[in-house]
Amino acid sequence: MKKRDRAVFIRNFLENLYPVTPIPLNHKNVYELLISVLLSAQCTDERVNKVTPKLFKLANSASKMQNINLKKIYEIIRPCGLAPKKSRAIKSLSKILVEKYKGIIPKDIELLEQLPGVGHKTASVVISQGFGIPAFPVDTHIHRLAQRWGLTNGKNVKQTEKDLKKIFPVESWNRLHLQIIFYGREF
């Protein structure tokens, strides 16, 4: 089976298996999504969803978060791991968002990647799930499955993302990204 045929088969299979693709991280606005995705690095979505209600009750916007004591942020997010680095990133990016963007999350991957603690995958998730702009965030699940399915021989997530973007139609990226993650977690 050719790579293009495999891609069509996989997309149809995942569409049947996961016709509904809810965003696994609970959030009420794009700022909360950004912080949740940042916290999900090296942590499960389940744990992030247990931690964030307390954090977002305290501050659910950049303007509020920038005023929260760093130690308090750290105490709340500690169960997510890497808390010293993540708490500093949350405090710093909140301040930058207020000062540079009037508290509004930029709709540009490159601008998001300039924020502390925000890498390409985090920026891609925010762009795709927060704003509905086509992106194909690639995490470990997607990278491994794409290799296993013969859709890429990329040695890193950057190459895998590039390969997947070539083979799947742009209008499917946001949804397919979640479907592959769901599949990877389930199987």
Side-chain angles (χ1 to χ4, degrees):
M1 187 183 283
K2 290 181 182 175
K3 190 185 288 189
R4 180 93 33 212
D5 295 332
R6 273 195 311 276
V8 170
F9 173 83
I10 289 164
R11 186 168 168 224
N12 290 336
F13 178 81
L14 292 174
E15 188 61 37
N16 287 325
L17 196 58
Y18 305 108
V20 179
T21 54
I23 300 168
L25 294 167
N26 299 334
H27 63 283
K28 293 184 180 126
N29 59 49
V30 180
Y31 176 77
E32 288 185 4
L33 177 63
L34 172 62
I35 299 305
S36 295
V37 177
L38 186 152
L39 289 173
S40 72
Q42 305 296 311
C43 183
T44 65
D45 292 347
E46 185 181 347
R47 181 161 303 186
V48 171
N49 287 337
K50 287 180 182 172
V51 167
T52 52
K54 187 174 182 182
L55 181 65
F56 297 148
K57 186 175 183 185
L58 196 63
N60 66 346
S61 68
S63 59
K64 291 177 186 173
M65 192 67 77
Q66 72 172 349
N67 297 318
I68 303 300
N69 180 286
L70 185 62
K71 188 177 177 186
K72 183 69 177 167
I73 297 170
Y74 172 84
E75 289 169 5
I76 294 170
I77 69 164
R78 191 169 179 210
C80 291
L82 306 174
K85 187 176 181 178
K86 289 177 182 179
S87 55
R88 284 191 304 273
I90 290 168
K91 178 101 170 147
S92 298
L93 77 79
S94 297
K95 188 174 179 172
I96 292 167
L97 286 171
V98 170
E99 291 174 357
K100 200 169 179 179
Y101 302 104
K102 298 181 175 137
I104 297 169
I105 311 296
K107 293 181 180 182
D108 180 286
I109 287 180
E110 289 165 4
L111 293 177
L112 284 169
E113 287 175 344
Q114 292 173 16
L115 296 171
V118 178
H120 184 71
K121 185 204 142 217
T122 297
S124 295
V125 170
V126 171
I127 290 297
S128 68
Q129 306 306 326
F131 297 115
I133 298 168
F136 209 125
V138 174
D139 69 355
T140 307
H141 289 299
I142 294 174
H143 180 62
R144 285 187 192 140
L145 287 171
Q147 287 178 322
R148 188 171 295 162
W149 293 337
L151 300 177
T152 184
N153 58 7
K155 302 289 182 228
N156 55 54
V157 293
K158 197 172 193 170
Q159 183 59 50
T160 298
E161 177 183 346
K162 197 175 178 182
D163 292 345
L164 294 177
K165 282 181 170 181
K166 279 185 205 168
I167 200 159
F168 290 109
V170 68
E171 66 274 4
S172 72
W173 293 354
N174 294 355
R175 186 175 169 78
L176 188 58
H177 141 78
L178 288 171
Q179 290 169 325
I180 296 172
I181 289 172
F182 295 163
Y183 184 86
R185 288 178 182 169
E186 190 171 349
F187 300 101

